[in-house]
Amino acid sequence: MSDRPAKKQNTLFVGALAKGLKLLRAFDETHTDLSLGDLASRTGLDKSAVQRLANTLHVEGMLVKDPATRRYRPSHQWLEMAYAYYWSDPLIGRAMPKLIELSRDIGETVNLAELSGEHIIYALRLPTQRTHFAATIAGRRLPALSTSAGRAMLATWRPEDREAAVRDWPIASFTPATTRDRGTIRDLIEDAAVRGYAISRSEVILNEVGVAAPIVAPDGRAAAAIHVSVSGHSYDLDRINRDIAPAIQDAANTILA
Amino acid sequence: MSDRPAKKQNTLFVGALAKGLKLLRAFDETHTDLSLGDLASRTGLDKSAVQRLANTLHVEGMLVKDPATRRYRPSHQWLEMAYAYYWSDPLIGRAMPKLIELSRDIGETVNLAELSGEHIIYALRLPTQRTHFAATIAGRRLPALSTSAGRAMLATWRPEDREAAVRDWPIASFTPATTRDRGTIRDLIEDAAVRGYAISRSEVILNEVGVAAPIVAPDGRAAAAIHVSVSGHSYDLDRINRDIAPAIQDAANTILA
DNA sequence: GTAGCATGTATCATAATACGATACTCCGCG
DNA sequence: CGCGGAGTATCGTATTATGATACATGCTAC
């Protein structure tokens, strides 16, 4: 080390663990089995560090290594982590029976969405035959502003908090029809504040309509929502307002009651 | 260090990462929010190591820390890990439409179980209103020998491999009715080999009947199964054999076809 | 009301670890 | 057949993670 004073160590931070977690985050919906080289380029870590970290994750059962191709994949422990999450989140136990009931009543895809920073994450998903694969599995994370569930939650926030979110939070484009204008998003959230539920069209999947009602906490603010996805071919606005939205709101309103 | 030769370092193993993973595994269905002391006692690690590791997991977003109680809980990243797992496992995408169809056809709880070492893990679960909470969420792991899904898979193995599993693998007791005799388990697996599906009664939940059909790989050996759970009050053996088992087998047989 | 204990936080000297560099092996492709 | 890429293995050493320990806070028991 040069005679320049050494950078002070952060003794509460374990760098090797953080690097290991970075390796885990290299896996996602489009990176499903990765070589050491893939991991090195996706994490920016040195290849011998990646070798050590990947080997350790493998030995600890977190990654599976294909002996023929030497590529790594997530192991079943990743599912066990979701299992532990489900037990740790009180909302899950409360919401599950209501989602199941709603799914049976309306016969459409029903999800529990939770706020996760500036995104929403689908914690529970009850799919139907119509459901696109990506929309059947739990754990998907999407920008809150770009989803009906996120907008339904924000609709319950104080106007200044809502405004800050509309101004600052990320938006994303999934289809040519995805709303990109923050003014339009603001209007949709205001509309949801009036109606008590949010409606989105073709935001994430073309011709899919999302309807979401907030699960309002005792403080008046929602950090979760029930979201239902229907086909725009089968439902016009009248039908949604009449047949779908009331059922979602009833279900959402009973969860924390 | 004493003058005794130092133990040779395993330079391919990162101890700090392994310790961090050990902290993650401290969370399960009965340990849902943990203090530093809880983590120390559950992992056997020194309290200052636990402090550093927990802080790092928190900073990296893997754990949420309640500011009032200072206790830690799993974060949404745990759900994202399941999401990444689902994309990485080709069976999930193939099985999901079949499970949804089967769930609609028979109106009962339908699951995809996969072999995980000497256990099975429920990768996908499509619950109904009747389903006990623990049976609605993915990621639960159970001894293979103690479940109909595990027995259905083993039934497709070569006799000597099957015999070794019956002899050596763990069994567990969940209800007073849980089968504890390995001879009986062997007979049930043989029966499944003949029928093409396995039936279990009250193994994990009293009066719940499990029916499972193996998803047989091209090599003739199954590492996954479709499992359906029905009430023993509503289904006797005749009804299961007639109405339930054929539908499960048909679904299982089309997944890898 | 006070003392003691448990829990959490913060710090530090140092031993051990994790690091990057590098060499070697193997395999596939031109 | 040679070269390059990917993976594996090794090593000297700088950096990190360690356990010990001190301190703060809050709660409980006497």
Side-chain angles (χ1 to χ4, degrees), chain A residues 1 9 13 15-16 35-37 47 51 65 70:
Chain A
M1 184 65 71
Q9 183 183 1
F13 190 77
S35 65
L36 286 179
K47 81 164 184 174
Q51 179 192 6
K65 184 177 183 182
R70 328 269 200 93

Side-chain angles (χ1 to χ4, degrees), chain A residues 167-179:
Chain A
R167 186 183 63 230
D168 299 331
W169 286 14
I171 59 181
S173 259
F174 297 96
T175 76
T178 307
T179 308

Side-chain angles (χ1 to χ4, degrees), chain A residues 17 20-21 24 57 60 62 77-78 80-82 84-85, chain B residues 16-29 31-32 34 39 42-43 45 50 53-54 56-58 60-64 72-75 77-78 81:
Chain A
L17 171 56
L21 296 175
L24 295 181
L57 290 167
E60 294 294 312
M62 194 60 84
Q77 280 193 30
W78 295 42
E80 291 188 81
M81 292 185 70
Y85 176 86
Chain B
L17 172 54
K19 288 176 181 173
L21 297 175
K22 182 176 267 191
L23 240 70
L24 296 181
R25 291 193 292 264
F27 293 88
D28 63 21
E29 68 267 63
H31 303 89
T32 56
L34 298 170
L39 288 165
R42 281 183 63 68
T43 58
L45 296 170
V50 171
L53 296 164
T56 305
L57 290 166
H58 169 67
E60 293 295 310
M62 195 59 87
L63 292 180
V64 172
Y72 293 89
R73 284 193 298 111
S75 72
Q77 278 192 34
W78 295 42
M81 291 183 70

Side-chain angles (χ1 to χ4, degrees), chain B residues 1 9 16 35 37 65 70:
Chain B
M1 180 67 71
Q9 182 182 0
S35 65
K65 184 177 183 182
R70 328 271 198 94

